[in-house]
Amino acid sequence: APPVPDCFAEGSSSTSIKLSWRRPPECRVDFFRITWATATTQLLPCPKLGEKRVEDVGSDVTEHILTELEIFHTYSITITAWNAIGNSTCSQDITTLPAPPSSAPEWINSGEIT
């Protein structure tokens, strides 16, 4: 089985997370499987998870953006490297960013800005 890939994640907007990883060195990888779900409660060590979603990407892919996520939620994300022998995993809990304000605050008068 492939070794665990080095994985990184960051909230890139209020509804998306950018994932990146390094291919395991000197190891054949056929594809990467990304699995994610909303962590609905934070009961450690095993949070309760919402519905799981899965997406497979090619062996040459090292970045991916998860979109259409819920605002300000924590996600349990696993990136798995697969080959003919088996798989290995890397997991992280990531929180999307809060939504930006829908408009400027009403108390700011544009005539007051210099």
Side-chain angles (χ1 to χ4, degrees):
V4 175
D6 292 329
C7 301
F8 310 94
E10 62 182 87
S12 58
S13 78
S14 61
T15 58
S16 64
I17 294 174
K18 179 182 178 182
L19 305 172
S20 60
W21 56 91
R22 292 189 189 116
R23 288 180 48 89
E26 301 176 18
C27 180
R28 178 178 170 203
V29 174
D30 295 332
F31 66 94
F32 292 97
R33 175 165 287 163
I34 303 167
T35 306
W36 70 100
T38 305
T40 56
T41 59
Q42 293 298 316
L43 300 176
L44 298 176
C46 299
K48 182 178 178 184
L49 300 177
E51 180 182 346
K52 283 188 178 181
R53 295 174 65 186
V54 176
E55 190 167 343
D56 292 341
V57 296
S59 62
D60 59 335
V61 175
T62 58
E63 290 186 350
H64 187 73
I65 297 177
L66 300 179
T67 59
E68 300 180 21
L69 303 176
E70 295 184 46
I71 295 172
F72 206 64
H73 276 69
T74 298
Y75 284 83
S76 176
I77 302 169
T78 302
I79 300 173
T80 309
W82 288 75
N83 66 19
I85 298 172
N87 64 287
S88 191
T89 62
C90 173
S91 299
Q92 301 185 45
D93 284 336
I94 304 298
T95 303
T96 56
L97 301 173
S102 58
S103 63
E106 293 179 20
W107 51 266
I108 294 178
N109 182 339
S110 62
E112 297 174 358
I113 299 174
T114 57

